Amino acid sequence: MKHTAIALFISLLCAGTNASAAAQEVATASFVQARQHFMAAVEGKSNAADSAIEAFHVLATRQPEHPLLMAYEGAAYTLKGRDASMPWDKMKYTEKGADLLEKAVALLTPAHDEALFNGTPESLEVRIVAVNTLMSLPEFMNRRSQGKRALEAALASPALALASNQLRANLYAAAARLAGKEQRSKDEISWLQKVTALPETSQHARAAARLKELGL
């Protein structure tokens, strides 16, 4: 699961948008630094999850109108849970992180389609962080359905029309993975083909390889 999470979150960093006239960039230097801590945690660096949790908690407290900050705090908690040595700590931190992610998704409004973090609509980034995290958790934690709803909402969002090819590819790839897990082969193929139909992104080679495995 660790290597999958690394690939997912690194690809997320490449996602950007062509902003509409109404969209406004709101990312700060503190956000960029906090996400650097987060990415270090994704890669398994010691104490990086704690640094990311602390940084995003401070930002979320200062800017409660931006649920993306809470979403990243939640995702960082799941990384802390991933790396914890004791089973009870793994569950405690992962459950706390998943709860924060679900709360962040629930706080989204149409206004978050227009707030940009490094060029990405906040609503889409909240949802893709939730999708990549919740759907990677063990089945017994019963979080996949919430991740699935976040994915469906992102794919149906008007903000997707502004999204970069990379972000669209990330979402289509997530939809393909879900379809594969649910043994919906036609849907999986359709989403994979949507990935490969885009100008080449970091998801392209993986999608093409999977289509080849499926005989296409």
Side-chain angles (χ1 to χ4, degrees):
M1 185 174 82
K2 177 177 177 180
H3 296 298
T4 300
I6 291 172
L8 291 172
F9 281 113
I10 286 177
S11 67
L12 174 60
L13 275 182
C14 300
T17 64
N18 298 314
S20 69
Q24 183 176 11
E25 181 63 51
V26 295
T28 63
S30 296
F31 170 78
V32 173
Q33 185 177 37
R35 195 156 67 164
Q36 288 172 348
H37 289 308
F38 179 81
M39 293 305 299
V42 169
E43 294 170 359
K45 293 185 179 178
S46 178
N47 299 321
D50 286 329
S51 296
I53 289 167
E54 181 180 0
F56 279 114
H57 182 74
V58 170
L59 289 172
T61 301
R62 291 175 180 171
Q63 298 176 283
E65 72 276 17
H66 290 300
L68 179 60
L69 306 172
M70 180 188 293
Y72 268 114
E73 181 186 357
Y77 265 112
T78 68
L79 295 174
K80 184 177 176 71
R82 179 199 68 188
D83 297 337
S85 57
M86 298 299 178
W88 48 87
D89 285 334
K90 286 182 176 293
M91 285 298 299
K92 177 177 69 175
Y93 294 128
T94 303
E95 289 282 8
K96 181 170 183 176
D99 287 343
L100 285 171
L101 275 162
E102 291 180 13
K103 183 177 179 181
V105 171
L107 289 171
L108 290 174
T109 69
H112 296 113
D113 290 349
E114 298 178 358
L116 304 180
F117 279 79
N118 292 342
T120 300
E122 181 174 13
S123 59
L124 290 180
E125 187 155 355
V126 168
R127 288 181 172 122
I128 200 167
V129 171
V131 168
N132 288 341
T133 303
L134 297 176
M135 292 181 62
S136 70
L137 297 180
E139 184 66 31
F140 68 83
M141 295 186 72
N142 298 315
R143 300 287 183 164
R144 185 175 295 175
S145 60
Q146 292 91 332
K148 183 176 180 179
R149 284 196 290 272
L151 175 61
E152 291 169 347
L155 291 169
S157 172
L160 192 60
L162 301 174
S164 68
N165 291 327
Q166 180 63 60
L167 191 143
R168 269 194 282 264
N170 291 342
L171 287 170
Y172 297 161
R177 288 192 300 274
L178 176 63
K181 288 179 181 179
E182 295 181 344
Q183 298 184 335
R184 293 183 284 110
S185 59
K186 289 183 179 179
D187 289 339
E188 181 184 9
I189 290 168
S190 177
W191 287 116
L192 291 169
Q193 289 174 333
K194 285 180 181 291
V195 174
T196 57
L198 292 169
E200 191 161 340
T201 67
S202 65
Q203 297 286 355
H204 190 280
R206 190 178 299 112
R210 177 57 179 156
L211 284 169
K212 187 174 181 180
E213 287 176 5
L214 295 171
L216 298 171

